Amino acid sequence: MFDFFFKYSPVVYEQGRWIFRTMPALITLVVLAAITLAVVLLLYRRTTAPVRPLWHIFLIVLRVLAIAIVAFCLLEPVLSVSTVVPQKSSVLVLVDDSESMAIADGAPGSSGTTRLQQVANWLGAGAADNATLARLNQNFRVETFRFSADVEPLSRLADLRGKGASTNIAAALEFAANQARQGALSGVVLVTDGAVSAGADPLQASRDLIGLQVPLFTVGAGSKIANDLQIAKVEATRSVLEKARVDVTALIQARGHAGESITAELREGDKIVQRQTVTLGERGARVSFQFTPSRKGFIKYTVAVPAARNEAVTANNETSFLIDSRDRTSRVLYIEELHPWEYKFIARALEGDPAVQLTSLLKTGPEKYLRLGLRNPNELRDGFPATRQELFGYQAIVIGSMPATFFSKAQLELIREFVAERGGGFMMLGGRAAFSQGGYDETALAELLPVHLPPLSGLDGRAIPPQLHEEFRFTPTPEGLASPLLQLDPDPFSNSQTWGGLPSLQGYNPLGPAKAGASVLAVHPLHQTGVPRILLATERFGRGRSAALATSSTWRWQMHLDHRDMTHERFWRQLLRWLSLQSPDPVRVILERENFSPAEPMTVQIEVMDSSFVAQGNANVELRVIGPDNVPVTISASPDLRKPGSYLANFAPVQQGMHSVEVLAHDQAGRYLGKAENAFFVEPSHAELAHADLQAPLLQRLAEVTGGRYFHLSEAGRLPDAITVSNSSFSKLTEQEVWDAPIFFLAIAMLLATEWFIRRSKGLS
């Protein structure tokens, strides 16, 4: 309609510059305007019938406007605009063919069709003369491609399926830049919803187009999705033991369903493990599951919510994850001197726990030690280990009330390496000879601990604080109540109540403030920020983890509670499992993630070390991948030259389902170094549906920085004209005549007709 009245599209008026071919001097225009106004005033000075002054003024205005438009047309106005030279250059059309483009999200004018169907209709699926491709072909050689993860030629619009697993706009822009270097390119048309799910930053990738002075015209398809349920995130401990409880938390994001109740399901294959009903808030809800794995090994679970009525996207209503419930046993080395009660009850708590084996070195007198939990008679025969090979055979170290002088400086440094390099766990317990009272504030172990150790003063330099006799309640912090280490009950309120009802402890070591990055899980009831009284804190250190428990009186819980109460056992089992079971083995298989799309390339990383955890750069590595059909596939692994002891293998799994990865490593002499296992599953990825809204700001910015324009699909009919009048190396300045546009003749006719009608109605001559 605009083109009919104004002769050209709005783009021509927006981009063009007004010029008058017949332009007299300014004084001439002023004189003519004054004469015209005087004549009109003279004509209306007297009328054949009396009229109000207001009508006089209105009639004068109508006549003056009509004369002004005639004068405007006589000046021969034209629009000077840059116009492409027909058929001298090309336009590259890139169409997003990813999964998110198959959404029918109710965009304006969509009539229930998918985004891709709307795009095909706009481009010209019906081969209409006014279709976009037909209009572009009038002035350009048009090359059409589709893209998702990669870019492919598009010979027919019917080939657009919306099956791509990801949207890589950066790859599409890099392809466009390469095309521009090879031939004459006037512009690039990018048709997409902007839901980037792979590749580099599109804005960075657009720099090449900027340098080549090729404008990018972006066309946005779709809208903001108003009706959707989505499993946005699932949190679960991946490695657990058989018959151990697993806590799973899922974040449900919702749009348009506030106040509704839905039932979320936890599934193992087709079997429903558990159901939970939650009420959705404005943005969704969290749902929690607690369950015990049904068997050993790697098990795939799925959290799912039902599809809502008229929901636009249902593929994101479920998310799968893996649980590793293989049997594992860790060895914890316990060193103690003065607190047989604490050791006695810790050892009892671990009886019957297949996951933690306690090996103890207890000092019973001068140069007298009691060794317990040994694997062979020679273990710990010479006291605390003095070599990496011997110490690194354990997964965790716990030091009770044992002074720092018990260890040599080399042994203290060895403990630090045990945590930082081997990835082991370390914990110090409270006591008369622990922390600063044990002289550790000036040793390598002070660096390991999650708290600062305050210096002590006294005649002997090791003052015994009165807090070692004080009774107090072990008080978890909010962070501690949320931590798996202090979960005595799955219900948060009941868990807090259980901790509040435990018997008091007696005696603790004063500690300094927590270090940056440490987690404070429990404090003394009188704890304050300026005067810290920390009881339990943890942190990551190097490849491992460390903890500080500033008391050695947790045995009082067992002594003062009912003999059937398992609080003390559960506390120590959870704490020592966390401390030890995460310690890596000498040979490890590391995967980028646990789920992949069919035929998606993946990289398997293998770390190979010896028993002293020294990297083995020339090991013989055997790698097998076993798919759902139980047929092993042998894959070659090559050394990673950037990292000693690391090996890389590439694989592209095709079969959907569970895959296991097995590694066996030997040194050059054929000596066994270790084996490792991991698993992943293959299924179609719906990652890009997590953020499938139209990303208009990104598309607007891409067009702006490259000198192009952004159009929503509903208004993209102006795009061919916008490219035609854009500045490029293949355009020239042209003058488009405007004086004969129908709007001017229509305006003159309407003004004069209105004046005539008023004059007749008022009886004027």
Side-chain angles (χ1 to χ4, degrees):
M1 184 65 72
F2 185 94
D3 295 10
F4 173 77
F5 286 112
F6 290 87
K7 193 177 178 180
Y8 307 108
S9 71
V11 174
V12 175
Y13 285 88
E14 293 171 4
Q15 301 294 328
R17 184 170 61 90
W18 286 93
I19 297 176
F20 294 93
R21 287 178 178 169
T22 305
M23 190 65 181
L26 180 60
I27 186 63
T28 304
L29 290 176
V30 172
V31 170
L32 290 175
I35 293 172
T36 301
L37 183 60
V39 171
V40 173
L41 290 175
L42 182 62
L43 291 174
Y44 282 97
R45 186 170 60 110
R46 293 181 179 178
T47 57
T48 56
V51 292
R52 294 181 180 179
L54 186 61
W55 284 110
H56 271 285
I57 296 173
F58 186 61
L59 290 169
I60 291 171
V61 170
L62 291 175
R63 180 66 64 89
V64 169
L65 287 176
I67 295 173
I69 295 174
V70 172
F72 177 80
C73 293
L74 291 175
L75 294 177
E76 296 186 81
V78 296
L79 284 168
S80 177
V81 64
S82 176
T83 307
V84 69
V85 179
Q87 302 304 321
K88 292 294 184 181
S89 61
S90 300
V91 165
L92 189 66
V93 179
L94 300 169
V95 183
D96 186 350
D97 195 26
S98 64
E99 190 177 7
S100 62
M101 291 293 286
I103 297 173
D105 57 354
S110 67
S111 301
T113 57
T114 67
R115 296 174 178 178
L116 211 51
Q117 289 169 336
Q118 297 168 49
V119 169
N121 292 335
W122 169 70
L123 286 173
D129 292 339
N130 62 345
T132 300
L133 289 181
R135 293 171 60 193
L136 287 173
N137 274 310
Q138 294 173 6
N139 292 305
F140 305 97
R141 298 187 299 272
V142 180
E143 301 175 29
T144 310
F145 294 82
R146 62 179 177 180
F147 73 93
S148 52
D150 300 307
V151 183
E152 301 175 349
L154 178 62
S155 57
R156 300 182 309 146
L157 294 177
D159 293 336
L160 294 171
R161 303 291 186 187
K163 300 293 185 181
S166 61
T167 300
N168 191 340
I169 291 181
L173 297 182
E174 290 168 3
F175 173 81
N178 289 332
Q179 292 293 103
R181 294 186 185 98
Q182 298 172 14
L185 198 61
S186 285
V188 178
V189 179
L190 181 72
V191 188
T192 178
D193 53 19
V196 178
S197 58
D201 181 2
L203 288 170
Q204 293 290 333
S206 68
R207 289 184 173 181
D208 288 342
L209 291 178
I210 298 173
L212 294 167
Q213 295 183 339
V214 176
L216 176 65
F217 297 85
T218 55
V219 179
S223 62
K224 183 175 181 179
I225 299 173
N227 176 17
D228 187 44
L229 293 175
Q230 176 184 176
I231 302 295
K233 186 178 182 181
V234 174
E235 295 179 344
T237 303
R238 192 176 194 267
S239 297
V240 298
L241 298 172
E242 187 187 16
K243 298 182 180 180
R245 190 189 70 177
V246 179
D247 294 312
V248 178
T249 301
L251 174 62
I252 304 173
Q253 287 186 351
R255 297 181 184 177
H257 298 278
E260 296 181 13
S261 294
I262 62 170
T263 300
E265 294 179 346
L266 177 68
R267 304 173 188 158
E268 179 187 342
D270 296 329
K271 173 187 173 185
I272 297 177
V273 177
Q274 199 172 123
R275 285 191 175 100
Q276 294 286 352
T277 300
V278 294
T279 301
L280 299 173
E282 288 292 333
R283 303 181 65 181
R286 288 186 180 271
V287 60
S288 298
F289 302 94
Q290 292 85 34
F291 71 100
T292 300
S294 59
R295 54 187 172 85
K296 300 177 183 178
F298 292 96
I299 311 173
K300 176 187 171 186
Y301 291 93
T302 301
V303 177
V305 294
R309 186 166 57 90
N310 298 325
E311 186 175 359
V313 184
T314 58
N316 59 7
N317 286 31
E318 63 180 42
T319 296
S320 298
F321 60 97
L322 284 184
I323 292 294
D324 177 7
S325 64
R326 292 174 297 165
D327 282 340
R328 290 180 302 283
T329 300
S330 64
R331 303 194 68 205
V332 177
L333 177 59
Y334 186 101
I335 301 96
E336 179 64 88
E337 180 181 27
L338 296 175
H339 289 284
W341 284 97
E342 187 74 336
Y343 166 75
K344 176 181 178 180
F345 281 92
I346 292 175
R348 283 185 182 179
L350 296 177
E351 288 179 1
D353 186 351
V356 180
Q357 178 185 340
L358 193 65
T359 299
S360 309
L361 182 65
L362 306 176
K363 186 175 182 181
T364 58
E367 302 301 324
K368 292 183 179 180
Y369 301 96
L370 178 63
R371 298 178 295 148
L372 300 173
L374 307 178
R375 284 190 173 178
N376 61 73
N378 294 325
E379 187 175 5
L380 302 177
R381 182 183 59 184
D382 298 324
F384 188 82
T387 65
R388 287 173 65 105
Q389 184 172 6
E390 186 180 2
L391 183 62
F392 286 16
Y394 300 97
Q395 279 71 44
I397 301 171
V398 178
I399 297 179
S401 185
M402 181 72 79
T405 54
F406 171 78
F407 305 96
S408 67
K409 185 176 180 180
Q411 286 175 323
L412 292 172
E413 183 60 35
L414 191 61
I415 295 175
R416 183 191 177 281
E417 294 174 0
F418 172 84
V419 180
E421 299 177 18
R422 186 253 185 273
F426 171 78
M427 180 167 63
M428 183 173 287
L429 306 183
R432 291 178 179 268
F435 297 106
S436 294
Q437 284 70 39
Y440 289 98
D441 54 317
E442 298 176 357
T443 69
L445 297 195
E447 185 182 355
L448 284 181
L449 293 171
V451 294
H452 295 281
L453 296 184
L456 298 179
S457 60
L459 294 177
D460 59 354
R462 299 292 133 194
I464 303 301
Q467 291 91 337
L468 288 178
H469 304 286
E470 177 185 330
E471 289 197 5
F472 58 91
R473 286 196 177 277
F474 188 90
T475 307
T477 63
E479 184 177 5
L481 290 173
S483 169
L485 299 186
L486 301 185
Q487 292 297 305
L488 302 181
D489 193 286
D491 179 70
F493 179 77
S494 299
N495 187 51
S496 178
Q497 293 290 100
T498 301
W499 279 109
L502 292 182
S504 298
L505 303 181
Q506 184 177 26
Y508 71 95
N509 292 72
L511 304 176
K515 294 179 181 178
S519 298
V520 178
L521 304 184
V523 295
H524 189 284
L526 299 179
H527 170 80
Q528 298 177 18
T529 302
V531 186
R533 290 180 171 88
I534 297 172
L535 297 180
L536 177 61
T538 62
E539 77 166 351
R540 298 286 306 182
F541 186 87
R543 298 182 70 197
R545 68 221 63 83
S546 68
L549 179 60
T551 184
S552 56
S553 61
T554 63
W555 59 270
R556 291 169 64 91
W557 292 339
Q558 188 71 359
M559 287 291 291
H560 295 288
L561 290 172
D562 187 275
H563 69 281
R564 294 166 297 184
D565 189 279
M566 298 294 290
T567 297
H568 181 264
E569 288 88 343
R570 185 165 187 175
F571 170 77
W572 277 105
R573 289 185 181 187
Q574 290 179 169
L575 188 56
L576 292 180
R577 284 183 177 188
W578 169 83
L579 194 70
S580 62
L581 288 178
Q582 299 181 57
S583 301
D585 293 327
V587 179
R588 288 200 303 161
V589 179
I590 303 171
L591 303 177
E592 302 165 85
R593 55 183 189 275
E594 63 182 20
N595 62 304
F596 296 86
S597 300
E600 178 185 358
M602 61 178 290
T603 300
V604 180
Q605 181 184 354
I606 303 113
E607 285 187 357
V608 180
M609 301 183 181
D610 61 12
S611 57
S612 299
F613 280 76
V614 175
Q616 300 296 297
N618 296 311
N620 295 317
V621 177
E622 300 175 30
L623 172 62
R624 301 193 312 165
V625 177
I626 303 173
D629 56 2
N630 291 321
V631 177
V633 177
T634 302
I635 303 172
S636 61
S638 304
D640 183 358
L641 301 179
R642 299 167 299 178
K643 185 178 180 181
S646 180
Y647 300 80
L648 300 176
N650 297 315
F651 182 58
V654 176
Q655 286 184 309
Q656 295 189 35
M658 186 77 75
H659 294 66
S660 62
V661 182
E662 298 177 353
V663 170
L664 188 64
H666 295 81
D667 64 13
Q668 287 291 307
R671 288 185 294 267
Y672 174 77
L673 292 174
K675 64 179 181 179
E677 186 179 1
N678 209 329
F680 63 92
F681 60 91
V682 176
E683 65 180 16
S685 172
H686 303 294
E688 76 160 29
L689 297 180
H691 305 284
D693 292 331
L694 169 61
Q695 306 298 318
L698 170 63
L699 301 181
Q700 290 168 349
R701 184 60 179 160
L702 284 172
E704 179 185 345
V705 298
T706 58
R709 291 189 61 184
Y710 167 76
F711 299 91
H712 186 270
L713 189 60
S714 61
E715 58 181 14
R718 297 187 289 163
L719 180 136
D721 294 323
I723 300 179
T724 301
V725 301
S726 62
N727 288 316
S728 73
S729 303
F730 311 98
S731 59
K732 63 179 181 179
L733 283 176
T734 60
E735 293 183 352
Q736 307 292 337
E737 293 184 341
V738 180
W739 66 268
D740 56 348
I743 188 65
F744 298 126
F745 296 98
L746 181 62
I748 293 169
M750 290 184 64
L751 289 169
L752 294 178
T754 302
E755 183 201 18
W756 177 84
F757 177 78
I758 294 174
R759 287 170 59 86
R760 293 285 294 176
S761 64
K762 298 298 182 181
L764 302 177
S765 57

